[in-house]
Amino acid sequence: MKRISPDSPSPQPNLKRVKEDPETGGFMNLDENLLYEVLKHVDARTLAMASCVSKLWLKTARDERLWELICTRHWANIGCGTQQLRSVVLPLGGFRRLHSRYLWPLSKPQAASPLPWAPPKIINSKPPARWGKDEVHLCLSLLSIQYYEKMHFTSRRR
Amino acid sequence: MKRDHNHLQPNPDPSSLLDAPSTGKAKVWDEEAAQQDCGMDELLAVLGYKVKTSDMAEVAQKLEQLEEVMCNVQDDGISHLASETVHYNPSDLSTWLESMLSELNPPSTFDPFGAAGTAAAALDDSFLGPAESSTLTTLDFDNINRKHQKSGQQIFEEASCSDYDLKAIPGKAIYSQNTQPQPQTHDSSSSSTPTNVKSEKRFKSTSGPPSPSDIFPPPPPAAASYGIPTDSTRPVVLVDSQENGIRLVHALMACAEAVQQNNLNLAEALVKQIGFLAISQAGAMRKVATYFAEALARRIYRFYPQNPLDHSFSDVLHMHFYETCPYLKFAHFTANQAILEAFEGKKRVHVIDFSMNQGMQWPALMQALALRVGGPPAFRLTGIGPPSHDNSDHLQEVGWKLAQFAEKIHVEFEYRGFVANSLADLDASMLDLRPSEVEAVAVNSVFELHKLLARPAAIDKVFSVVKQMKPELVTIVEQEANHNGPVFLDRFTESLHYYSTLFDSLEGSVSSQDKVMSEVYLGKQICNVVACEGVDRIERHESLTQWRNRLSTAGFSPVHLGSNAFKQASMLLALFAGGDGYGVEENNGCLMLGWHNRPLITTSAWKLTKKTTAISQ
């Protein structure tokens, strides 16, 4: 679904660029920073779709800070500070992965890609408005296990 | 050697082979005591053949002839018989045989029946088509055998295949009958084909009147066996797989009972049947039956599994089991939750893990510790595991991985690995324990403690060592089953149910390779429970009640697992394929994971009972 505008620039960080492209609308002319600000306010689904639009959008929409917002916006306070959370989640794969692999499947039945071991079959189909502490802890644990497994088995195969 | 038809008198010798009175499922054979039923031979009547007892000799002769013909005239003219034939409702056996014989123009000579051609065998031969001199016999053959158990005659001895030389099997049951050697006839056929309409009636055999047994010659000793399946098992159509399922269970139970009574020949015959019956099933039942049949066979033939397996292979199996089904994950999650709560507020923590394996439990705990309010404590892990067989320091490798992981999430980590053949070899002094004000200790054991029950003193020693560690918490996860009773048959029954449930729960899993590996993993346990004894039998599972007793006697008191653990466990299960069947139950503070309401594993937490010293003055 990527729509790459013909003269989309190669991604370079922190460069303001205004594209005069008659084909695309004004929205496509947003630069990264502005795009980032806009994307801060969208929900998970929109953010994921946004990454399919163009290379620039892909890069922006994959920003961990945006996904951190998505994750933490609706989850219960698990008691730790932001920095603390970041220092754990980012090394283990990041918020985007946490969301797409664990938080999202937990809340939506069969909506996301299958979990490593089995496709999720969620019994209750209503997505919760918030993720409770237990959901969050479970997902974090699963993320860490997944990371460890990958680490464990890659080095074993060496 | 000619078959001797002369001794047609009933020979009531009920107990010559079965030493012990039959119990349990074998009683079904006892039920109908020898009652003649309007002159019909009762045993064959059960199969559906109405044969007058007085006619039996004749019928037997004809069958002999028929069998002779069929086995000798192999290639010409009876190829149609070689295909699957199903004989429905044979009510008049005698005339039917007559017709068959007249078709085939039988030779004039009798063949010494020997071991092979018993009436039933011939019967089955005709139905299933004679294989080319190889194997044919059938389940019915064995069925009738069983019927004759009570009358105490081993009849259908087949000296056919030398690969089944059972001389090694002690127990004189079969050999005591007579010592005349009988020649092996080439048509001593045994192959069990799983299908057979007659098989429907198989298990309704009765002890019946002894008369039919007299028709058949006394069994040859030595190297005898019942239906010996060899190569040419034909794929045959199954008539009724559900009934076969019931028969399968019955056969399993009967075999176990025979093993318990040390009636190894019967057991052997049954175990072969089980093998074929198992093929008729699909899915979980088939696999379970196959594993149990293998285990029984190992027990019968004294061919014990060579322990131990290559460590890396058992690691692989363990990993696949971890991936495929939620049991291990449940164990880890619930134990971790308990440990996390116990470590609240502690600055330095030390976990002693009796079940190190791949260390899969600890990343999640470390992450949870890293995210706790106030930051992570200093985390020390001591891992205990069996020695590895390929000189690799498996425990150290795992330790390195965990150290890397800990570094990623900025948790101070210290690790030590201990190799021990048995937990009972441990001593608290080896562990470099620090004073409990400085360091809080938790002991974790997942599916390890039951292995100590083989030697009575071992578990007590381990408990005392644990007490010396002064732990804040001891988390124990064990199978919820009683596979450690004194009676073999009880253990067998229990484990059959337990593993059937377990295999059922695996059926829903997605990846077939994972599933197969998990089944192999469980199959090894089955083999151990059924085939091994003494110190080799390490899978001595006990139920929660039994563990509770042991632990309270040893000086531990239970700690209730909180609702967090319960909720997380329930959610975890919801994420698994086939999650509908799994359920978490709470039992007085312990959490049990079960499949369709049958609890399969239990997590419990314990702390040291504080001794209050009463000073009497």
Side-chain angles (χ1 to χ4, degrees), chain A:
Chain A
M1 249 180 74
K2 266 195 181 194
R3 218 174 106 222
I4 302 179
S5 55
D7 53 4
S8 76
S10 54
Q12 287 175 39
N14 299 327
L15 274 182
K16 279 193 184 244
R17 208 179 317 244
V18 174
K19 292 182 294 245
E20 295 291 344
D21 193 329
E23 285 180 359
T24 61
F27 198 40
M28 284 301 294
N29 293 337
L30 286 179
D31 74 335
E32 274 178 64
N33 297 329
L34 215 46
L35 183 58
Y36 177 83
E37 289 300 318
V38 171
L39 289 178
K40 266 200 214 167
H41 300 278
V42 302
D43 66 350
R45 197 179 165 78
T46 315
L47 187 56
M49 289 200 292
S51 64
C52 304
V53 172
S54 71
K55 275 192 194 151
L56 173 65
W57 282 54
L58 174 68
K59 177 173 158 284
T60 315
R62 290 206 159 169
D63 194 318
E64 280 294 324
R65 293 168 292 172
L66 287 173
W67 285 100
E68 183 187 348
L69 281 173
I70 299 275
C71 291
T72 55
R73 189 180 295 154
H74 288 306
W75 76 17
N77 181 15
I78 54 174
C80 61
T82 329
Q83 236 354 81
Q84 192 181 6
L85 184 64
R86 280 184 192 161
S87 72
V88 171
V89 176
L90 289 176
L92 294 182
F95 288 94
R96 192 170 64 87
R97 171 166 295 182
L98 176 66
H99 185 274
S100 71
R101 287 198 186 213
Y102 304 108
L103 287 172
W104 179 258
L106 194 54
S107 62
K108 282 231 180 273
Q110 294 145 19
S113 55
L115 288 172
W117 54 80
K121 282 187 196 161
I122 315 292
I123 302 169
N124 58 329
S125 53
K126 265 195 302 201
R130 285 170 68 86
W131 288 297
K133 272 176 84 163
D134 295 309
E135 280 95 346
V136 171
H137 281 298
L138 178 67
C139 293
L140 288 166
S141 303
L142 293 173
L143 181 73
S144 53
I145 292 173
Q146 159 74 359
Y147 181 83
Y148 177 74
E149 278 179 348
K150 254 205 310 195
M151 193 179 90
H152 188 54
F153 289 110
T154 337
S155 61
R156 272 191 134 201
R157 274 194 291 272
R158 243 192 291 124

Side-chain angles (χ1 to χ4, degrees), chain B residues 322-583:
Chain B
Y322 183 85
E323 289 299 316
T324 318
C325 46
Y327 302 106
L328 282 177
K329 287 201 170 79
F330 170 86
H332 293 171
F333 271 73
T334 44
N336 281 346
Q337 190 60 34
I339 296 176
L340 196 60
E341 287 168 15
F343 280 167
E344 221 169 282
K346 310 281 188 228
K347 289 285 184 281
R348 308 191 68 85
V349 301
H350 182 192
V351 174
I352 300 174
D353 188 8
F354 285 167
S355 38
M356 196 59 194
N357 289 307
Q358 318 284 330
M360 296 297 296
Q361 186 172 350
W362 308 117
L365 181 65
M366 285 198 268
Q367 165 263 308
L369 288 172
L371 284 179
R372 71 171 194 179
V373 179
F379 182 71
R380 190 170 152 222
L381 179 64
T382 302
I384 313 216
S388 56
H389 305 286
D390 54 353
N391 288 330
S392 68
D393 199 347
H394 161 77
L395 281 178
Q396 275 309 113
E397 279 176 33
V398 172
W400 274 117
K401 304 271 165 45
L402 289 170
Q404 281 176 22
F405 181 88
E407 203 190 353
K408 282 274 173 184
I409 57 174
H410 316 291
V411 173
E412 190 188 326
F413 181 71
E414 203 188 317
Y415 176 81
R416 222 164 144 203
F418 274 101
V419 164
N421 269 313
S422 155
L423 290 175
D425 299 338
L426 270 187
D427 228 351
S429 51
M430 302 171 188
L431 296 172
D432 186 22
L433 295 166
R434 295 168 198 161
S436 38
E437 306 80 49
V438 174
E439 193 174 71
V441 176
V443 178
N444 179 74
S445 154
V446 177
F447 300 146
E448 286 295 324
L449 287 188
H450 61 262
K451 300 181 185 172
L452 296 166
L453 298 177
R455 270 171 299 201
I459 188 79
D460 297 317
K461 168 143 194 267
V462 170
F463 282 154
S464 68
V465 170
V466 167
K467 282 195 281 194
Q468 286 172 29
M469 298 172 189
K470 300 211 196 67
E472 294 289 319
L473 192 75
V474 181
T475 49
I476 297 178
V477 182
E478 284 290 329
Q479 290 91 343
E480 183 59 27
N482 184 1
H483 298 157
N484 198 19
V487 181
F488 171 74
L489 190 57
D490 295 340
R491 293 203 298 271
F492 185 87
T493 320
E494 278 279 328
S495 55
L496 186 57
H497 287 127
Y498 181 80
Y499 284 101
S500 301
T501 316
L502 213 38
F503 270 71
D504 255 347
S505 72
L506 287 181
E507 280 300 299
S509 62
V510 179
S511 152
S512 62
Q513 197 213 358
D514 273 349
K515 185 157 76 155
V516 166
M517 296 289 224
S518 311
E519 286 160 5
V520 173
Y521 175 82
L522 294 174
K524 285 170 51 185
Q525 290 182 9
I526 292 174
C527 201
N528 192 278
V529 173
V530 173
C532 299
E533 279 304 332
V535 288
D536 288 330
R537 176 158 65 92
I538 54 171
E539 299 291 343
R540 294 179 181 251
H541 310 148
E542 286 194 347
S543 66
L544 177 60
T545 330
Q546 290 166 293
W547 282 112
R548 277 200 178 122
N549 284 336
R550 277 189 201 276
L551 284 156
S552 350
T553 324
F556 293 92
S557 33
V559 172
H560 281 217
L561 296 168
S563 58
N564 289 331
F566 187 94
K567 274 188 261 168
Q568 277 199 37
S570 313
M571 273 188 288
L572 176 69
L573 295 178
L575 287 173
F576 267 86
D580 301 358
Y582 292 113

Side-chain angles (χ1 to χ4, degrees), chain B residues 38 48 61 91 148 179 213 221 226 301 307 344 347 349 364 377 431 445 447 470 531 578:
Chain B
C38 38
Q61 262 189 22
S91 47
H148 296 309
T179 48
S213 64
Y226 289 150
Y301 295 115
N307 294 328
E344 221 169 282
K347 289 285 184 281
V349 301
L431 296 172
S445 154
F447 300 146
K470 300 211 196 67

